[in-house]
Amino acid sequence: MAGVPKFHPLEAAVLALLFVAGIVSPFVKQHFFGEPDTSFIEKRILAPAPIVAGGFRSQVRFFPGKFDAWYGDHFGFRAVLLEAGAVIKVRGFGDSDRVMIGKEGWLYLKMDPPLFTQSFDAKQLAGWKEYLEGRQRWLAARGIKYLFVVPPDKDSIYPEFLPSKAGTPPAELPVDQLVRYLKETHSPVDILSLREAVLAGKRREQAPIYYKQDTHWNSLGAFYGYQEIIRRLSDEVPNLKAIPRNDYRVVFAKEEMHDIADLAGLPAFTILTGPKLAPASPGVINAFELRPYVANHPYTVQMPHPANEPRAVVFCDSYTMALAPYYAQSFSRVTYFWPSTYQGLEKALGETVLAEKPDIFIEERLQRLVVAVPEVAPFADAAGSKP
């Protein structure tokens, strides 16, 4: 007696078709529709397509490995699978190789060495003092006010959402050591840590002042940094005023910044809605599209202000992107200089200052980056570098 078949013929045909479709569809997707480039998310260069060249033995030896590497980086639906894996890993298991998964949807950059484990020794503090005082002397000889500004990292403003394994901030961070050291050694350098001003802003606002899925402050947090910068500068620089908070209103939109989510491999649909400041007064210049992205080249913004308002050169980083719209309200002209390489940097920066003849030079260094002591001579080799 013939055994009863395990599958109905129609079921077997459907399973066979599904199997073939599963095998073929990645190739069809890749060949006819292409596959998104994931190199930015993965922070690596994907394997290139193999080239058929050389003798038969060379091809037999090397081509299969090159083809396998290329296909593994480009097969159809790979980006979808990476995104699905990231969502499962982050949301399901609370884990990521590059990101600390915090509480209530907050993401933090995973640091190496680990967060809160760094401090300065005497040699490093002396190195910072030499660098900053060299900068200050050069600028003062040309009648330019120098302010060294340190924006806080997100972990210093929202430590309550850090994962428990991250530890807690120490009583004195490296930037605090530097501020104290310069004061104790009677340095003429004007250094401004923005942590306390930004924390005060956090207490005043109901909405978050940093992005949950990005390392940066949002426009709300940057506003309080801007106000403190202008307050400090206005003690010495005439005609410098900060625009009041009441001239802006909070609106909510899809967050523009999500670098930590990108590092975790999270897809676009996980990006959150967050607050941003928008002009609420007709007198406010709507300059929120300013982006000083030109690295190692000056990027100048001329504003329609009276000529007696001061001019500034800003040695900046990505935190300045959110500050730039506010600087537009207080300065008549701002020249941004965003470093991308140290080769020739100080020469180009010095020449920019000499050309612009600003009233103020603002140098910004993010809190976690202060631990790296500069190894360059300020404004070295700039034309007219000597007073």
Side-chain angles (χ1 to χ4, degrees):
M1 181 177 178
V4 179
K6 293 183 179 180
F7 293 101
H8 186 278
L10 180 59
E11 292 176 330
V14 169
L15 285 174
L17 286 173
L18 289 174
F19 177 77
V20 172
I23 296 295
V24 174
S25 58
F27 172 79
V28 172
K29 168 68 166 58
Q30 178 192 23
H31 186 72
F32 292 101
F33 301 98
E35 187 65 16
D37 185 354
T38 60
S39 56
F40 175 78
I41 295 174
E42 298 184 68
K43 304 299 181 187
R44 67 182 182 90
I45 298 174
L46 304 183
I51 299 174
V52 179
F56 177 76
R57 289 187 178 182
S58 176
Q59 290 298 317
V60 170
R61 182 177 180 184
F62 297 110
F63 186 84
K66 292 180 179 179
F67 179 85
D68 183 66
W70 167 76
Y71 188 74
D73 277 355
H74 298 276
F75 67 85
F77 303 108
R78 181 176 182 273
V80 173
L81 293 172
L82 284 174
E83 290 181 349
V87 171
I88 293 170
K89 193 172 184 180
V90 171
R91 292 190 170 180
F93 298 96
D95 187 34
S96 172
D97 295 334
R98 301 169 178 171
V99 174
M100 290 190 292
I101 313 301
K103 304 166 187 174
E104 300 183 22
W106 286 77
L107 303 179
Y108 296 84
L109 189 65
K110 190 173 284 186
M111 302 291 293
D112 184 25
L115 198 61
F116 309 137
T117 60
Q118 295 173 299
S119 62
F120 283 132
D121 58 29
K123 182 179 179 181
Q124 290 171 314
L125 289 169
W128 261 117
K129 178 181 168 72
E130 180 181 1
Y131 170 83
L132 292 171
E133 290 186 354
R135 184 82 88 202
Q136 194 273 338
R137 283 192 302 271
W138 194 92
L139 292 164
R142 291 159 179 81
I144 302 169
K145 166 65 181 173
Y146 177 45
L147 180 64
F148 185 75
V149 175
V150 184
D153 287 292
K154 183 166 71 172
D155 51 74
S156 290
I157 305 301
Y158 288 99
E160 64 269 29
F161 297 115
L162 281 165
S164 55
K165 60 184 178 182
T168 56
E172 189 175 58
L173 294 169
V175 64
D176 304 316
Q177 287 182 274
L178 182 58
V179 171
R180 177 174 54 81
Y181 177 76
L182 292 174
K183 184 177 180 180
E184 290 174 350
T185 56
H186 307 289
S187 174
V189 172
D190 195 357
I191 181 171
L192 175 60
S193 172
L194 294 174
R195 189 168 68 251
E196 292 306 318
V198 174
L199 282 170
K202 173 189 172 184
R203 292 190 289 268
R204 294 189 192 105
E205 301 289 344
Q206 294 182 340
I209 65 174
Y210 275 64
Y211 295 109
K212 283 189 172 183
Q213 298 183 343
D214 191 272
T215 55
H216 299 83
W217 53 17
N218 56 29
S219 59
L220 192 56
F223 178 82
Y224 290 98
Y226 152 78
Q227 277 201 324
E228 185 65 10
I229 290 169
I230 300 301
R231 185 199 65 77
R232 175 68 70 89
L233 288 170
S234 63
D235 292 339
E236 299 182 36
V237 180
N239 305 315
L240 188 59
K241 296 179 182 178
I243 197 164
R245 172 67 177 82
N246 291 339
D247 282 358
Y248 295 94
R249 59 189 175 89
V250 175
V251 297
F252 287 85
K254 202 80 167 178
E255 292 189 346
E256 299 173 352
M257 308 281 281
H258 36 78
D259 59 0
I260 309 181
D262 292 338
L263 277 176
L266 293 173
F269 68 78
T270 65
I271 305 305
L272 305 175
T273 296
K276 64 184 294 186
L277 285 186
S281 168
V284 178
I285 300 170
N286 191 359
F288 277 77
E289 297 306 314
L290 295 178
R291 291 293 184 265
Y293 270 127
V294 185
N296 269 25
H297 294 281
Y299 170 90
T300 299
V301 179
Q302 176 72 53
M303 287 312 195
H305 285 298
N308 63 347
E309 292 195 346
R311 298 154 58 107
V313 169
V314 181
F315 187 43
C316 62
D317 62 13
S318 57
Y319 264 60
T320 307
M321 291 192 298
L323 286 169
Y326 305 122
Y327 285 152
Q329 318 301 327
S330 297
F331 298 108
S332 61
R333 181 180 173 93
V334 187
T335 297
Y336 299 96
F337 199 101
W338 192 328
S340 61
T341 176
Y342 284 109
Q343 185 174 3
L345 167 63
E346 290 295 322
K347 180 178 185 291
L349 181 59
E351 291 174 352
T352 298
V353 173
L354 293 170
E356 287 295 320
K357 298 180 173 61
D359 304 286
I360 299 163
F361 183 91
I362 301 171
E363 180 169 1
E364 181 192 316
R365 194 73 59 104
L366 183 58
Q367 182 178 281
R368 70 173 179 268
L369 302 181
V370 168
V371 296
V373 182
E375 297 181 355
V376 295
F379 303 117
D381 301 321
S385 59
K386 294 182 180 180

